[in-house]
Amino acid sequence: MTLDEAWRILRENQYKRTKNRDSILHFFSKNDRYLTALDIRNFMENENPGISFDTIYRNLTTFTELGILEETELGGERRFRMHCDPGVHHHHFICTSCGKTRNIPHCPMDIITVHLPNHEVEGHKFEIYGKCPTCVA
Amino acid sequence: MTLDEAWRILRENQYKRTKNRDSILHFFSKNDRYLTALDIRNFMENENPGISFDTIYRNLTTFTELGILEETELGGERRFRMHCDPGVHHHHFICTSCGKTRNIPHCPMDIITVHLPNHEVEGHKFEIYGKCPTCVA
DNA sequence: CATGGAATCGTAATGATTCCTATTTAAAAG
DNA sequence: CTTTTAAATAGGAATCATTACGATTCCATG
């Protein structure tokens, strides 16, 4: 997703354009990987050294709810990345060292027919973990 | 996995038979669902009201390392369940209300052929979330 | 530029998990 | 059955990620 698309969604939902949101989104748009709240905090060292974690988490939650970011959990902490292709459902290979991802176009739900009578399916998760070429070397 | 199998593994690895371990394993063997550290704490109300979280987590880690338990993360906390069938790789439907599970015999890794050149695959996760028949009603 | 509500800051609070040290216990040896 | 010793535990403090909150600042609209 581009910055313009993200801001269009935010505007449509009456969210204000602030310096923090601009910086955070810009950081995500430059990084094709899953990032932590601390990553963002560190990146803001220059732009806004005093940024509150409250602000970071609040915006991460907002962005995720609006579908601008997608979220996962790795090593006991929440991680976020720019929702790469909002229209097309897909999954990820995730590097456990650097958080970098690689798309997996297939979805097991399309292939696996599971019989779950009377169950109410809400969602699913399919992720492959490992080391990306850079971190292998 | 049965209690006997669990204790055989523990014995083989020189772990002592303690009252806490007995209680915890017994609790897991009776519950076909993912449980939190707090669930265990509450269950021990009778058997050992003063049990330390250190003890709980230490044993959960040990059991998981030995393959007696399997672990996942749900709603920001770690959950554990008895490793249902150590020989046969499988996945789970997990109830987001009560943690109860249902086996999914298929594995997406067997079906999906992903091209990940130079990547080092360490593992994967496939889980379906929702409400079990009991929690739907 | 005045106004009102959204957004933020700074810090305190929370909840899950881990660390630390003195004490207790399992089980092996005598 | 006692002694011995390393493993296991209790209790509480510490840590880490995350959230809550009151006071202040900022964005957008008129």
mmCIF file of all heavy atoms in Angstrom, chain D residues 1 7 14 19 22 24 29:
data_model
loop_
_atom_site.group_PDB
_atom_site.id
_atom_site.type_symbol
_atom_site.label_atom_id
_atom_site.label_comp_id
_atom_site.label_asym_id
_atom_site.label_seq_id
_atom_site.Cartn_x
_atom_site.Cartn_y
_atom_site.Cartn_z
ATOM 1 P P DC D 1 12.481 -46.979 56.944
ATOM 2 O OP1 DC D 1 11.487 -46.784 57.883
ATOM 3 O OP2 DC D 1 12.809 -46.233 55.755
ATOM 4 O "O5'" DC D 1 13.829 -47.540 57.611
ATOM 5 C "C5'" DC D 1 14.025 -47.498 58.998
ATOM 6 C "C4'" DC D 1 15.310 -46.767 59.305
ATOM 7 O "O4'" DC D 1 16.304 -47.082 58.293
ATOM 8 C "C3'" DC D 1 15.175 -45.260 59.306
ATOM 9 O "O3'" DC D 1 16.047 -44.754 60.330
ATOM 10 C "C2'" DC D 1 15.663 -44.867 57.924
ATOM 11 C "C1'" DC D 1 16.778 -45.881 57.691
ATOM 12 N N1 DC D 1 17.064 -46.218 56.274
ATOM 13 C C2 DC D 1 18.364 -46.069 55.796
ATOM 14 O O2 DC D 1 19.251 -45.664 56.578
ATOM 15 N N3 DC D 1 18.653 -46.373 54.511
ATOM 16 C C4 DC D 1 17.685 -46.825 53.714
ATOM 17 N N4 DC D 1 17.998 -47.120 52.443
ATOM 18 C C5 DC D 1 16.338 -46.993 54.172
ATOM 19 C C6 DC D 1 16.076 -46.684 55.441
ATOM 20 P P DA D 7 21.837 -30.599 39.313
ATOM 21 O OP1 DA D 7 22.174 -31.062 37.955
ATOM 22 O OP2 DA D 7 22.217 -29.264 39.786
ATOM 23 O "O5'" DA D 7 20.249 -30.758 39.501
ATOM 24 C "C5'" DA D 7 19.694 -32.059 39.641
ATOM 25 C "C4'" DA D 7 18.270 -31.930 40.124
ATOM 26 O "O4'" DA D 7 18.243 -31.480 41.506
ATOM 27 C "C3'" DA D 7 17.435 -30.930 39.329
ATOM 28 O "O3'" DA D 7 16.156 -31.493 39.139
ATOM 29 C "C2'" DA D 7 17.404 -29.700 40.228
ATOM 30 C "C1'" DA D 7 17.434 -30.323 41.616
ATOM 31 N N9 DA D 7 18.035 -29.507 42.670
ATOM 32 C C8 DA D 7 19.223 -28.835 42.629
ATOM 33 N N7 DA D 7 19.516 -28.198 43.750
ATOM 34 C C5 DA D 7 18.436 -28.480 44.576
ATOM 35 C C6 DA D 7 18.140 -28.104 45.899
ATOM 36 N N6 DA D 7 18.937 -27.342 46.646
ATOM 37 N N1 DA D 7 16.986 -28.555 46.431
ATOM 38 C C2 DA D 7 16.189 -29.332 45.691
ATOM 39 N N3 DA D 7 16.366 -29.751 44.431
ATOM 40 C C4 DA D 7 17.518 -29.283 43.931
ATOM 41 P P DA D 14 13.605 -4.867 43.309
ATOM 42 O OP1 DA D 14 14.954 -4.335 43.572
ATOM 43 O OP2 DA D 14 12.408 -3.996 43.425
ATOM 44 O "O5'" DA D 14 13.606 -5.495 41.853
ATOM 45 C "C5'" DA D 14 14.583 -6.489 41.532
ATOM 46 C "C4'" DA D 14 14.465 -6.817 40.065
ATOM 47 O "O4'" DA D 14 13.257 -7.574 39.852
ATOM 48 C "C3'" DA D 14 14.381 -5.601 39.138
ATOM 49 O "O3'" DA D 14 15.273 -5.827 38.066
ATOM 50 C "C2'" DA D 14 12.926 -5.569 38.698
ATOM 51 C "C1'" DA D 14 12.551 -7.043 38.745
ATOM 52 N N9 DA D 14 11.138 -7.347 38.963
ATOM 53 C C8 DA D 14 10.315 -6.845 39.937
ATOM 54 N N7 DA D 14 9.086 -7.335 39.902
ATOM 55 C C5 DA D 14 9.113 -8.223 38.832
ATOM 56 C C6 DA D 14 8.134 -9.073 38.274
ATOM 57 N N6 DA D 14 6.889 -9.153 38.742
ATOM 58 N N1 DA D 14 8.485 -9.827 37.211
ATOM 59 C C2 DA D 14 9.746 -9.735 36.752
ATOM 60 N N3 DA D 14 10.759 -8.983 37.192
ATOM 61 C C4 DA D 14 10.375 -8.248 38.252
ATOM 62 P P DT D 19 -1.756 -2.767 24.040
ATOM 63 O OP1 DT D 19 -2.889 -3.626 23.667
ATOM 64 O OP2 DT D 19 -1.159 -1.840 23.074
ATOM 65 O "O5'" DT D 19 -2.189 -1.942 25.336
ATOM 66 C "C5'" DT D 19 -2.547 -2.669 26.505
ATOM 67 C "C4'" DT D 19 -2.942 -1.688 27.591
ATOM 68 O "O4'" DT D 19 -1.779 -0.995 28.080
ATOM 69 C "C3'" DT D 19 -3.941 -0.620 27.153
ATOM 70 O "O3'" DT D 19 -4.982 -0.634 28.113
ATOM 71 C "C2'" DT D 19 -3.120 0.673 27.170
ATOM 72 C "C1'" DT D 19 -2.097 0.363 28.248
ATOM 73 N N1 DT D 19 -0.792 1.083 28.190
ATOM 74 C C2 DT D 19 -0.341 1.723 29.316
ATOM 75 O O2 DT D 19 -0.968 1.753 30.347
ATOM 76 N N3 DT D 19 0.880 2.327 29.185
ATOM 77 C C4 DT D 19 1.691 2.355 28.057
ATOM 78 O O4 DT D 19 2.769 2.920 28.063
ATOM 79 C C5 DT D 19 1.162 1.659 26.908
ATOM 80 C C7 DT D 19 1.940 1.627 25.651
ATOM 81 C C6 DT D 19 -0.042 1.067 27.026
ATOM 82 P P DG D 22 -8.023 10.578 34.580
ATOM 83 O OP1 DG D 22 -8.785 10.076 35.738
ATOM 84 O OP2 DG D 22 -8.693 10.748 33.271
ATOM 85 O "O5'" DG D 22 -7.323 11.950 34.973
ATOM 86 C "C5'" DG D 22 -6.151 11.939 35.806
ATOM 87 C "C4'" DG D 22 -5.248 13.098 35.425
ATOM 88 O "O4'" DG D 22 -4.539 12.769 34.205
ATOM 89 C "C3'" DG D 22 -5.992 14.400 35.162
ATOM 90 O "O3'" DG D 22 -5.243 15.484 35.697
ATOM 91 C "C2'" DG D 22 -6.088 14.465 33.645
ATOM 92 C "C1'" DG D 22 -4.798 13.751 33.219
ATOM 93 N N9 DG D 22 -4.890 13.069 31.929
ATOM 94 C C8 DG D 22 -5.985 12.427 31.394
ATOM 95 N N7 DG D 22 -5.750 11.902 30.218
ATOM 96 C C5 DG D 22 -4.425 12.221 29.962
ATOM 97 C C6 DG D 22 -3.616 11.926 28.837
ATOM 98 O O6 DG D 22 -3.917 11.293 27.819
ATOM 99 N N1 DG D 22 -2.310 12.435 28.994
ATOM 100 C C2 DG D 22 -1.879 13.149 30.075
ATOM 101 N N2 DG D 22 -0.617 13.559 30.044
ATOM 102 N N3 DG D 22 -2.617 13.424 31.128
ATOM 103 C C4 DG D 22 -3.885 12.939 31.000
ATOM 104 P P DT D 24 -1.652 21.536 32.526
ATOM 105 O OP1 DT D 24 -0.564 22.297 33.173
ATOM 106 O OP2 DT D 24 -3.060 22.001 32.600
ATOM 107 O "O5'" DT D 24 -1.266 21.371 30.992
ATOM 108 C "C5'" DT D 24 0.001 20.794 30.639
ATOM 109 C "C4'" DT D 24 0.051 20.585 29.153
ATOM 110 O "O4'" DT D 24 -1.017 19.710 28.744
ATOM 111 C "C3'" DT D 24 -0.091 21.841 28.283
ATOM 112 O "O3'" DT D 24 1.114 22.002 27.542
ATOM 113 C "C2'" DT D 24 -1.304 21.583 27.408
ATOM 114 C "C1'" DT D 24 -1.375 20.056 27.428
ATOM 115 N N1 DT D 24 -2.696 19.451 27.142
ATOM 116 C C2 DT D 24 -2.840 18.695 26.007
ATOM 117 O O2 DT D 24 -1.941 18.497 25.210
ATOM 118 N N3 DT D 24 -4.089 18.157 25.828
ATOM 119 C C4 DT D 24 -5.188 18.305 26.664
ATOM 120 O O4 DT D 24 -6.261 17.777 26.386
ATOM 121 C C5 DT D 24 -4.975 19.129 27.836
ATOM 122 C C7 DT D 24 -6.096 19.359 28.790
ATOM 123 C C6 DT D 24 -3.750 19.649 28.022
ATOM 124 P P DT D 29 -11.536 20.194 7.539
ATOM 125 O OP1 DT D 29 -11.969 18.841 7.146
ATOM 126 O OP2 DT D 29 -10.735 21.040 6.622
ATOM 127 O "O5'" DT D 29 -12.849 21.005 7.948
ATOM 128 C "C5'" DT D 29 -13.395 20.865 9.263
ATOM 129 C "C4'" DT D 29 -13.842 22.210 9.772
ATOM 130 O "O4'" DT D 29 -12.742 22.894 10.423
ATOM 131 C "C3'" DT D 29 -14.361 23.174 8.695
ATOM 132 O "O3'" DT D 29 -15.752 23.376 8.889
ATOM 133 C "C2'" DT D 29 -13.545 24.451 8.896
ATOM 134 C "C1'" DT D 29 -13.027 24.277 10.326
ATOM 135 N N1 DT D 29 -11.782 25.021 10.642
ATOM 136 C C2 DT D 29 -11.757 25.817 11.770
ATOM 137 O O2 DT D 29 -12.695 25.932 12.511
ATOM 138 N N3 DT D 29 -10.580 26.457 11.989
ATOM 139 C C4 DT D 29 -9.426 26.402 11.194
ATOM 140 O O4 DT D 29 -8.439 27.045 11.499
ATOM 141 C C5 DT D 29 -9.519 25.570 10.032
ATOM 142 C C7 DT D 29 -8.354 25.445 9.100
ATOM 143 C C6 DT D 29 -10.681 24.927 9.798
#
